[in-house]
Amino acid sequence: MKFTCVRENLERALSIAERFTGKNLTLPILGNILLEVYENVLTITATNLEYAVQLMISGSGGKDGKISVPAKIASALVQSMQDEKVHLEEKNGSVIIKSDTRDARLNGLPGQDFPLMPTIKKTTSFEVGALELQGGLASVLPAVSPSEFKPELAGVLCKVGLRTLQLAATDTFRLAEKTIPLARTGDPSQFSFILPLRMASELSRILDGEEQIVVSLGENQVLFEREGMRIISRLIEGNFPEYGAIIPKQFETTCFFKRAELLRAVRSSSIFASKLQDVNLVFTQNQCEVSSANQEIGEYQTRLPGTLSGKEGKVSFNYRYLMDGLAMLHGDEIFFGMNNETAPTLMHDRTDNSLLYVIMPIRIS
């Protein structure tokens, strides 16, 4: 095996592949990546048997062959290089990695011993913009449940309709839903699947550019494809809760805030929050008072101007959940709608409701 390519391209591919490797005492090769050259294209494969990635890099001087090498060491080595190009060559079970100023030899394992990339029997597919999918996943990830007690909540629901992709996540204390338009005109079927948290997190880091991602479903598997990249993942089995009834449609109290001002007020109030991590919002006709109190530390109050409609009211939230929601939104102004001290509260950007954030208040007796 021989291959020469741009160092920057190889560095990025190795960095991504490393995150798909696994630790397994009975199968240590899962900590490796497979380097395979065919017709001047280097394919880098990594898997932990639940997720797998293949990344393709074009180069020159290629000689077909394959070998498996430790992912962490290969990635760290290439990151330490500063030259424009890198040359790889297999010799006697090792990989020689060269640049203009560096030479290294990395012990490897036979490529035949590396696990095969999983195959998927496609049952249905759709296309979505890479940036739209990346941004959508990033916006709902904070609401994913970190607990495996309810496996169906430990991931992102992907609900595919004729013209939209809805991403949803909940930990039962808050709910985030992002709607992404799709350029679908043919297949009228609607379907859904639950993407594991780790895979959703990786996709939110990896995806970029203006390309379209082809998403294909198989039996308990999903495949994400674009030029130079294939990612396959298992899916979470189970039924995601029907959450539509949780999203309030009518409100007794509505208000518009400057998002950055409210975020700063909540962040300051969190310093004085009690063990319940609560901050209080009191709505009057001309303002919203944000406050918190802790017997051991003291108390804090700040007042924000707001455009209020409906009843005056009071509500308390876990400040972390409230700050997460404000951080997800990106508009200068946000809509805030509530009904009472115990009912779900809805937030979204004033001019864009494609991202909805529902948060449950804290009941303080």
Side-chain angles (χ1 to χ4, degrees):
M1 184 195 83
K2 288 185 180 181
F3 186 74
T4 300
C5 66
V6 176
R7 179 196 56 80
E8 185 178 351
N9 296 340
L10 180 60
E11 179 182 335
R12 183 175 186 275
L14 290 174
S15 177
I16 293 172
E18 182 188 353
R19 298 199 296 270
F20 282 76
T21 58
K23 293 182 179 179
N24 190 312
L25 295 178
T26 60
L27 202 60
I29 200 170
L30 293 181
N32 282 19
I33 54 174
L34 178 67
L35 304 178
E36 186 171 10
V37 175
Y38 180 71
E39 294 185 350
N40 284 331
V41 174
L42 171 65
T43 299
I44 301 174
T45 304
T47 183
N48 64 1
L49 300 185
E50 291 189 351
Y51 320 111
V53 63
Q54 277 189 334
L55 302 154
M56 283 67 81
I57 302 173
S58 297
S60 61
K63 180 181 178 182
D64 295 355
K66 59 183 178 180
I67 189 171
S68 168
V69 295
K72 187 174 182 179
I73 297 174
S75 179
L77 177 61
V78 175
Q79 285 180 27
S80 71
M81 295 179 169
Q82 299 299 318
D83 301 295
E84 181 182 355
K85 291 190 175 182
V86 176
H87 177 73
L88 309 176
E89 183 175 359
E90 177 191 1
K91 283 187 177 180
N92 301 320
S94 300
V95 174
I96 308 301
I97 304 177
K98 290 183 178 182
S99 67
D100 289 342
T101 59
R102 304 282 182 93
D103 291 315
R105 182 179 63 83
L106 187 57
N107 293 335
L109 293 172
Q112 303 89 289
D113 295 345
F114 195 83
L116 296 175
M117 179 78 170
T119 58
I120 179 171
K121 186 177 180 181
K122 300 177 183 179
T123 56
T124 188
S125 300
F126 66 96
E127 292 187 12
V128 59
L131 283 181
E132 287 80 2
L133 181 58
Q134 182 273 334
L137 290 170
S139 65
V140 302
L141 280 175
V144 175
S145 173
S147 172
E148 294 289 341
F149 181 69
K150 293 183 176 180
E152 65 275 12
L153 299 185
V156 176
L157 174 69
C158 303
K159 192 174 181 180
V160 184
L162 180 60
R163 295 292 181 88
T164 60
L165 167 64
Q166 287 183 325
L167 306 174
T170 182
D171 58 6
T172 72
F173 300 108
R174 66 271 183 73
L175 164 76
E177 182 194 68
K178 174 66 176 179
T179 301
I180 300 171
L182 298 179
R184 289 172 60 92
T185 56
D187 185 2
S189 63
Q190 300 184 35
F191 53 92
S192 63
F193 56 94
I194 306 175
L195 190 64
L197 172 58
R198 178 174 171 182
M199 179 51 57
S201 299
E202 288 299 337
L203 289 170
S204 73
R205 297 173 63 180
I206 294 170
L207 299 179
D208 57 13
E210 301 298 327
E211 294 178 276
Q212 292 286 304
I213 302 294
V214 179
V215 185
S216 303
L217 273 292
E219 185 177 355
N220 202 38
Q221 291 179 308
V222 61
L223 173 65
F224 299 86
E225 292 179 287
R226 72 175 183 189
E227 185 176 358
M229 183 186 77
R230 297 178 73 244
I231 296 175
I232 194 167
S233 170
R234 68 170 180 86
L235 296 174
I236 294 177
E237 297 186 57
N239 297 315
F240 199 85
E242 293 291 339
Y243 61 85
I246 299 173
I247 302 175
K249 307 297 189 297
Q250 297 179 329
F251 308 94
E252 294 181 0
T253 304
T254 63
C255 193
F256 293 100
F257 290 106
K258 295 291 186 181
R259 187 184 67 87
E261 290 180 0
L262 181 56
L263 181 57
R264 284 194 294 267
V266 175
R267 184 177 289 117
S268 297
S269 295
S270 70
I271 299 170
F272 293 84
S274 71
K275 292 181 180 179
L276 293 176
Q277 298 186 337
D278 57 309
V279 296
N280 309 306
L281 278 66
V282 178
F283 299 93
T284 59
Q285 288 301 321
N286 299 317
Q287 66 181 21
C288 173
E289 180 185 277
V290 182
S291 65
S292 59
N294 187 314
Q295 291 182 350
E296 298 177 359
I297 300 174
E299 58 185 36
Y300 178 88
Q301 291 181 350
T302 186
R303 285 160 291 280
L304 301 175
T307 306
L308 180 72
S309 298
K311 296 181 179 180
E312 296 184 350
K314 175 182 177 181
V315 66
S316 300
F317 297 110
N318 179 304
Y319 73 81
R320 295 183 186 276
Y321 297 162
L322 184 54
M323 288 172 61
D324 281 347
L326 293 170
M328 288 179 191
L329 303 172
H330 299 291
D332 293 335
E333 283 191 289
I334 64 163
F335 167 86
F336 188 97
M338 59 171 282
N339 287 301
N340 56 56
E341 296 182 15
T342 60
T345 294
L346 175 67
M347 295 192 300
H348 61 73
D349 287 334
R350 181 167 189 168
T351 58
D352 179 12
N353 61 359
S354 65
L355 174 60
L356 304 179
Y357 187 76
V358 179
I359 179 172
M360 292 298 298
I362 294 177
R363 298 184 181 185
I364 301 177
S365 55

